[in-house]
Amino acid sequence: MDKQGSIQGNGSERIFLFDSTLRDGEQTPGARLSHEEKIEVARQLGRLGVDIIEAGFPVSSPGEKQAVQEIARQVKGPAICALARAVPGDIDEAWEAIKDAENPRLHVFLGASDIHMQHKHKADPKILLDQAVSAVKYARQFTTNIEYSPEDATRAREEYLYELIEAVIKAGATTINIPDTVGYAVPEEFGAMIRRLKEKIPGMDKTILSVHCHNDLGMAVTNSLEAIKNGARQVECNINGIGERAGNAALEEIAVALRIRQNYFSYHTNLNFQEIYRTSRLVSKLTGIAVPSNKAVVGLNAFAHSSGIHQDGVLKNKETYEIIDAGLIGGTAAQMCLTARSGRHAVLDQLNKLGFFLDDQQLEVIYNHFVNLADKKKEIYPEDLEALVLDHLSATEPLYKLDYLQTVSGSKSIPAAVIRLIKEDGNKIEEMAVGSGPIDAAYNAINKITGMPITLEKYAINAVTHGRDALGEVQVNMAYQDRTITGRGTSTDIIEASVKAYLNGLNKLLKINGSDLISNHEQTKLATS
Ligand code: KIV
Ligand code: ZN
């Protein structure tokens, strides 16, 4: 019964999630993924629990075919689908690529609107209908799991769609996908069209009706939800809504909307919601396509509250201004971005989250500095607050200062660094280390000096001025035990900027946590100079 849309105990029907991040998503300008990256994304989609992964378009290149093949062999759980135009050569390549999957699916498509048939295919509708039928019959020799898409369906003549879809179902298609290829549809009209196709086409009741919505008018998710209400049982969508032009319907938005508003929709998916945030970040990191901060469900600000009234309300009871718990999607706890309107309650709460427990007097000092800063800088993030505490509540000098730095690197030498630091008591400590590059070597040398095996979680460098002598600003995210900290450093020498950033982070870490973090190891490292 599942293949036709199972009914859950609570009476809600199952919606199949067809993820095309690796096919339509990878068509996003600039979003090329390497072979290994595609496999990493596919594995994560498996953990996320999507029902079908469209792994690629194998005929497009030998590399694409190989990646689809690897995914088909390695990723268990979801059906693995490959795209093919309605020609035998494409179908052969697609089948070759997916035949080792647990549950392979062939996805065949051909233009169906007059615009596509006249200008792209330059062929008569009847001839193209026969081609579609032949292609499905051809695919049928390999598998019974065949999806057919009449491309540009929302601009096609509906009478032609009836005839075409009935014929491809007779030829063996088991999923009929209605693509809104150019994002032309509007919800009510699209929903009504889906209902008519479902009701009028003989054989439709034995297939899964699917939709594939693009976002050119910003309605891809709404159109998909409207289609579900009108009989679609599969939705094609991409992580973070990436895809051709303005993208495709965002998978996470559809799934979370169905979940949060189940009282309205009464449909369910088998998604593992806890993996949504991780998947979103992975896709963003590997494709290089940033998630807009105001993006629904996974944007940085989706759980941030800026106005004082909202922050106060959320601290009293999250439900006042939050309908999605960040925990549902495996995101971090609700994040507050403080502003000039934030009250003491919100500032104190954020300080506690950062590990600072201030008395009333200290809070007053920090709150006054916070208000001054918030007047100049609209949004105050945790790092800003942390800097305020370090600047105003700690009069002490940095624990470690850079005294001397020398690095060696080159195509034929092992990267190495010698570092000498001065401790606040005036002692000098020197260490030498090797690494995968001069910066790694320098960081290893600092770790040797402090005896603290700090790990580097993120490294970013930016030119903050222009020209070849530009100042480079390095930002590092460092982790030690259960704390993470950000360090920043600038210099015209990027290795020095990197070392300064690391020391900045290290000093913050030690100031916040006290010198108990320093192991005895460094006591024995008094320098010779
Ligand atoms: O947008 C589209 O029409 C497609 C088809 C291949 C389904 O991506
Ligand atoms: Zn598409």
Side-chain angles (χ1 to χ4, degrees):
M1 179 67 183
D2 248 10
K3 282 257 177 313
Q4 300 302 318
S6 71
I7 310 278
Q8 251 193 356
N10 61 10
S12 91
E13 265 187 77
R14 173 154 174 208
I15 301 300
F16 292 92
L17 291 173
F18 177 113
D19 181 280
S20 186
T21 305
L22 289 169
R23 201 276 299 167
D24 223 340
E26 221 226 354
Q27 288 174 218
T28 311
R32 278 261 157 258
L33 295 172
S34 70
H35 180 88
E36 289 71 28
E37 289 169 340
K38 284 182 189 174
I39 294 163
E40 197 179 342
V41 170
R43 284 182 183 283
Q44 181 56 30
L45 290 171
R47 284 188 281 272
L48 178 64
V50 304
D51 298 292
I52 303 108
I53 295 175
E54 187 165 51
F57 185 25
V59 80
S60 64
S61 76
E64 173 90 345
K65 182 176 170 186
Q66 260 176 19
V68 176
Q69 211 153 32
E70 270 316 300
I71 292 169
R73 289 177 184 155
Q74 291 188 26
V75 180
K76 306 293 168 206
I80 306 296
C81 175
L83 185 68
R85 288 168 298 184
V87 291
D90 276 32
I91 297 170
D92 289 340
E93 288 294 285
W95 179 248
E96 267 293 304
I98 56 168
K99 65 174 195 251
D100 295 335
E102 252 174 11
N103 181 10
R105 174 183 293 190
L106 284 170
H107 181 187
V108 179
F109 77 103
L110 188 64
S113 65
D114 286 343
I115 301 175
H116 276 226
M117 292 192 288
Q118 275 168 26
H119 302 289
K120 198 171 80 165
H121 301 302
K122 298 189 191 307
D124 183 77
K126 178 76 187 82
I127 290 173
L128 291 170
L129 190 149
D130 290 344
Q131 182 182 337
V133 168
S134 306
V136 172
K137 284 187 180 155
Y138 188 81
R140 189 75 191 194
Q141 65 180 304
F142 301 121
T143 175
T144 53
N145 193 349
I146 298 168
E147 171 166 331
Y148 186 81
S149 287
E151 194 187 9
D152 201 20
T154 49
R155 292 192 299 168
R157 280 178 289 109
E158 215 166 289
E159 292 304 320
Y160 181 66
L161 285 183
Y162 293 155
E163 207 187 327
L164 169 68
I165 293 171
E166 183 178 351
V168 293
I169 292 176
K170 275 201 190 120
T174 42
T175 298
I176 297 296
N177 179 46
I178 305 301
D180 182 21
T181 304
V182 290
Y184 178 75
V186 291
E188 211 182 333
E189 178 195 57
F190 188 54
M193 173 185 179
I194 294 299
R195 183 165 295 279
R196 286 192 298 274
L197 295 177
K198 178 122 185 150
E199 286 173 358
K200 290 197 175 169
I201 299 176
M204 202 60 143
D205 53 332
K206 307 223 166 33
T207 66
I208 297 263
L209 181 52
S210 166
V211 291
H212 173 113
C213 298
H214 278 267
N215 207 28
D216 298 66
L217 295 175
M219 289 188 270
V221 169
T222 324
N223 282 335
S224 306
L225 293 170
E226 197 61 29
I228 290 173
K229 277 166 57 190
N230 284 284
R233 290 297 170 265
Q234 173 180 288
V235 280
E236 302 200 352
C237 38
N238 297 346
I239 301 297
N240 299 337
I242 63 171
E244 274 288 348
R245 306 181 309 279
N248 292 57
L251 181 142
E252 64 282 358
E253 291 181 27
I254 296 176
V256 171
L258 291 177
R259 170 81 175 249
I260 297 291
R261 294 306 312 273
Q262 51 191 306
N263 58 343
Y264 175 78
F265 288 110
S266 109
Y267 301 101
H268 70 275
T269 65
N270 275 9
L271 205 69
N272 179 6
F273 283 79
Q274 283 292 306
E275 293 294 329
I276 288 181
Y277 193 75
R278 210 189 320 278
T279 315
S280 160
R281 287 302 175 264
L282 179 74
V283 168
S284 167
K285 185 180 96 182
L286 297 183
T287 57
I289 302 171
V291 178
S293 51
N294 65 335
K295 160 94 176 57
V297 181
V298 286
L300 197 63
N301 291 347
F303 301 98
H305 302 276
S306 143
S307 104
I309 296 172
H310 285 212
Q311 291 181 348
D312 187 56
V314 167
L315 289 169
K316 287 173 176 146
N317 182 335
K318 276 175 153 206
E319 281 181 35
T320 50
Y321 290 101
E322 253 181 50
I323 58 162
I324 311 166
D325 186 340
L328 172 73
I329 61 157
T332 44
Q335 196 189 37
M336 292 248 188
C337 146
L338 301 168
T339 65
R341 294 181 300 281
S342 304
R344 280 178 182 69
H345 188 176
V347 173
L348 183 65
D349 183 76
Q350 189 66 270
L351 286 166
N352 291 349
K353 280 190 186 133
L354 289 168
F356 298 114
F357 298 93
L358 311 187
D359 58 30
D360 288 351
Q361 215 180 342
Q362 289 173 318
L363 176 63
E364 221 33 54
V365 174
I366 292 303
Y367 188 71
N368 288 335
H369 285 292
F370 161 78
V371 172
N372 285 338
L373 182 65
D375 269 346
K376 294 183 212 125
K377 189 176 184 286
K378 274 182 83 175
E379 287 161 345
I380 306 288
Y381 286 95
E383 308 89 82
D384 300 312
L385 210 53
E386 192 176 80
L388 282 185
V389 176
L390 294 167
D391 288 350
H392 299 289
L393 289 187
S394 166
T396 53
E397 281 283 286
L399 223 57
Y400 288 103
K401 280 194 211 154
L402 181 63
D403 185 41
Y404 173 82
L405 161 70
Q406 177 156 18
T407 55
V408 183
S409 69
S411 57
K412 295 233 161 54
S413 55
I414 297 172
V418 177
I419 296 246
R420 189 164 61 234
L421 303 181
I422 310 184
K423 272 201 75 179
E424 57 179 349
D425 58 9
N427 277 325
K428 294 184 176 180
I429 315 175
E430 187 172 296
E431 271 295 355
M432 186 269 191
V434 292
S436 55
I439 296 170
D440 185 45
Y443 289 175
N444 288 339
I446 297 175
N447 283 1
K448 270 172 129 182
I449 290 174
T450 61
M452 294 163 66
I454 293 173
T455 53
L456 186 68
E457 298 212 313
K458 197 169 149 199
Y459 175 96
I461 183 159
N462 272 315
V464 288
T465 50
H466 296 286
R468 284 172 58 179
D469 57 352
L471 264 186
E473 185 192 56
V474 172
Q475 181 176 325
V476 288
N477 288 7
M478 303 151 66
Y480 183 66
Q481 293 176 349
D482 56 353
R483 276 206 65 99
T484 55
I485 203 109
T486 311
R488 285 196 185 82
T490 45
S491 171
T492 46
D493 176 337
I494 56 167
I495 298 178
E496 188 175 282
S498 306
V499 168
K500 281 184 172 173
Y502 200 78
L503 286 177
N504 175 252
L506 173 69
N507 284 317
K508 280 192 200 172
L509 194 66
L510 294 172
K511 276 190 180 186
I512 295 167
N513 293 278
S515 47
D516 53 310
L517 278 184
I518 312 171
S519 83
N520 292 332
H521 173 87
E522 60 100 357
Q523 311 289 345
T524 61
K525 295 285 166 190
L526 294 177
T528 47
S529 69

